Amino acid sequence: MKKDTHPDYHMIKVQMTDGTVYETRSTWGKEGDTMTLDIDPLAHPAWTGGQNRLLDQGGQVARFNKRFGGLNLGKK
């Protein structure tokens, strides 16, 4: 096996947007560095499932139906 092929794996601190800090192992930064998150998985709708729903008023299906809705390709 080749030597020095793997990156340095060490302990860092991760600071969430609410100020909580936890330690984890990572290849990011140097030993003891603190990673400050801009988007927090505890608060961001992508991870929490968010309560806001997007209405697709001009989506792909609506545009397709607008363009080809009158086209009659099926059985009569």
Side-chain angles (χ1 to χ4, degrees):
M1 182 181 263
K2 293 181 180 179
K3 293 184 180 198
D4 300 326
T5 58
H6 296 284
D8 181 31
Y9 197 58
H10 48 272
M11 295 299 288
I12 66 165
K13 294 178 183 175
V14 178
Q15 183 175 4
M16 309 292 260
T17 56
D18 65 356
T20 58
V21 177
Y22 69 92
E23 288 190 23
T24 187
R25 293 173 53 115
S26 176
T27 58
W28 179 86
K30 302 183 302 272
E31 178 81 27
D33 281 353
T34 300
M35 176 187 287
T36 305
L37 298 181
D38 293 332
I39 300 175
D40 193 338
L42 297 177
H44 195 276
W47 287 281
T48 62
Q51 298 304 320
N52 296 339
R53 301 282 182 213
L54 295 175
L55 298 177
D56 189 13
Q57 295 175 349
Q60 291 182 351
V61 174
R63 281 183 290 188
F64 178 85
N65 288 335
K66 183 178 178 184
R67 288 178 69 189
F68 302 107
L71 193 59
N72 200 1
L73 298 176
K75 296 179 183 177
K76 289 187 178 186

